[in-house]
Amino acid sequence: MRRIGAALLLLGAAPAPGVRSDLLMATDAPKLADYGMFDAAGRPAPGVQSYTLNTPLFSDGAEKYRFAWLPPGTNAEYRPSGALAFPVGTVLVKRFAFPADLRQPMQNVRPIETRLLIRRPAGWVALSYVEQDGGAVLKRAGMKVPVEFIDKAGRAQAIDYAVPNQNQCKTCHQDGEAITPIGPTAGNLNGSLNGRGSNQLMTWSTSGRLTGLPAGAWPRLAKWDDAAEPLDARARAYLAVNCGHCHSRGGFASNSGLYLVPEETIPAHLGVMKRPVAAGRGSGGHEFSILPGQPDKSIMLHRMIASEPGIMMPQFGRALAHEEGNALIRTWIAAMPAPTAPTLATTATP
C-alpha cells in the first residue's frame, strides 16, 4: 500500500510516501495527522496539490486553502457542468483560517478547521477536523469556535464560527440522494492558480490528472469581485457558489423553485418576479424573490442581509452578512429593467 502516496501527480512522478490512502479509504481517523496529508507545520505532503476557485464561498471572511489528492494512476474526468468526476480514492481538502486582521491576510493567521471530502467505494464521505492543542481532531457533531478579528472595514468582529455537523455537510453537498463536491467545477477551475501562471484545467489535463478536456469553449465562472467583468456574470457566479448548491433541482432547497446554478436560464427560476413557495418571516413582507429595479423590495436581498436564524440565507456557514456580496446583488437587481404593470398583475408562481 506504500505506492498509494501521492496526489495529482505529474505523469511518471514517484508516489509520495506520506499519504495513508489505505486509512483514508477505511477509517474516519480521530486525528487529521493520521492520514499523513500535512506535516506538523501544516504544509501539504508531496503531491497534495493546491487549487483555487474563481469565485469561492463566503465564510465570514475566513481564508480558505484548497487541496486535492488523487491516487496514482487515476484521473478526474471533465464535466461541462457540476463538479468534475473524481475517481474513488480522491480526497478534496478545504482548510479554514482567520487572520487577526483581514486586511493583512498573510499575517497572524489562526487555523480553525480542515474539512475533507473522501470518495470511498460507497460514495463521498464528509469529515470535519477542528484545530486543538496537539493537532486537528474529528468533530462529527460540529461545534462553535469563538473567533475575533478585524474585518476589511477596520471593525472589530467577534463571532462563534460554526463547524458543521455531518448532517449539515450532507445538506449542502446534497445531489439527490448522494453527496457530491461543490467547488471544483470546470467553470470555477477555469482560471490560473491564485491568479498566476497557467490555466488550471490545462495544467491538470497536460499532467494527466484530467481527461476529456475539449479543445476549447470551456465554461467559465466569473470572478465575483472583479469589476472589469460583466455585472450579470459576477452576480450569477456569486449566487451559484453561495446559494446554488442548495438551490438546484437536486439540492436541499429543490422544492423552492429557485434554481441558482450557472446553467439556469429561466428568469422565474432565477427569482425574477417569482413569488415564494411559502410566505412567512423570510419574505420580509415582500412579494417576489427579485423585483427588478427594486432591491429593497426583493426577498432574495432581504434574506442575504439578515443574520437572524430562520430568515438568513445561506442558513449555514455564516454568522455575518457579506456586505460586499450583498452590495453586488443590490446593484445587479437595481440594474434590471422594471417590470410593466401587466407583468406584475399576471405573474404566476412557478
Side-chain angles (χ1 to χ4, degrees):
M1 297 303 291
R2 299 304 296 174
R3 60 180 289 275
I4 316 178
L8 301 179
L9 295 171
L10 297 178
L11 292 180
V19 178
R20 290 287 309 277
S21 179
D22 54 339
L23 200 61
L24 283 162
M25 289 301 95
T27 305
D28 298 350
K31 294 184 178 181
L32 178 65
D34 295 339
Y35 291 131
M37 300 192 71
F38 300 90
D39 66 17
R43 293 181 294 259
V48 177
Q49 302 258 328
S50 64
Y51 67 91
T52 55
L53 304 177
N54 290 343
T55 289
L57 177 73
F58 172 72
S59 302
D60 288 331
E63 290 290 321
K64 285 175 277 190
Y65 311 95
R66 296 172 176 83
F67 304 88
W69 188 90
L70 276 67
T74 67
N75 48 61
E77 296 179 12
Y78 172 84
R79 295 287 184 271
S81 62
L84 303 180
F86 290 97
V88 170
T90 296
V91 185
L92 301 176
V93 183
K94 186 161 59 172
R95 311 200 82 177
F96 294 74
F98 278 89
D101 189 329
L102 301 189
R103 298 168 299 181
Q104 299 176 340
M106 304 301 292
Q107 299 181 22
N108 300 317
V109 179
R110 175 192 173 189
I112 300 294
E113 174 195 12
T114 299
R115 298 180 192 174
L116 305 183
L117 267 182
I118 306 171
R119 187 171 184 197
R120 293 175 176 162
W124 291 95
V125 175
L127 303 175
S128 293
Y129 290 84
V130 177
E131 293 291 337
Q132 296 185 353
D133 292 340
V137 297
L138 180 63
K139 293 291 183 181
R140 296 183 186 277
M143 64 180 295
K144 296 291 181 70
V145 181
V147 177
E148 296 182 1
F149 58 91
I150 303 299
D151 68 18
K152 291 184 178 180
R155 298 168 300 197
Q157 298 284 0
I159 65 170
D160 285 332
Y161 171 87
V163 176
N165 62 46
Q166 285 193 305
N167 286 333
Q168 289 170 331
C169 291
K170 293 176 182 178
T171 295
C172 288
H173 286 271
Q174 177 180 329
D175 184 11
E177 297 299 319
I179 294 177
T180 187
I182 297 171
T185 66
N188 220 358
L189 290 167
N190 187 0
S192 57
L193 180 67
N194 292 314
R196 299 182 297 274
S198 302
N199 183 283
Q200 292 179 112
L201 291 177
M202 181 60 71
T203 299
W204 286 29
S205 178
T206 56
S207 69
R209 303 192 297 265
L210 177 65
T211 61
L213 185 68
W218 309 329
R220 180 181 179 278
L221 208 62
K223 294 179 180 291
W224 77 273
D225 57 351
D226 185 351
E229 299 207 37
L231 174 62
D232 184 70
R234 294 167 57 208
R236 288 291 309 275
Y238 184 87
L239 292 173
V241 168
N242 286 275
C243 313
H245 47 279
C246 284
H247 283 281
S248 66
R249 286 172 171 79
F252 179 71
S254 60
N255 64 349
S256 69
L258 184 66
Y259 306 134
L260 300 174
V261 294
E263 300 78 23
E264 186 58 59
T265 59
I266 299 174
H269 286 320
L270 292 169
V272 179
M273 300 305 301
K274 180 192 177 305
R275 298 182 188 275
V277 172
R281 291 191 311 140
S283 73
H286 307 312
E287 293 186 71
F288 303 101
S289 291
I290 293 176
L291 181 56
Q294 300 193 53
D296 290 321
K297 294 185 178 180
S298 298
I299 297 172
M300 179 181 288
L301 185 61
H302 167 72
R303 303 196 74 170
M304 291 173 67
I305 290 173
S307 295
E308 182 181 347
I311 299 177
M312 60 184 277
M313 286 288 173
Q315 59 181 311
F316 303 125
R318 73 171 178 91
L320 301 173
H322 188 195
E323 294 181 358
E324 296 89 348
N326 293 344
L328 171 64
I329 301 306
R330 176 184 295 279
T331 302
W332 178 59
I333 295 174
M336 294 180 181
T340 62
T343 302
L344 279 169
T346 60
T347 298
T349 303

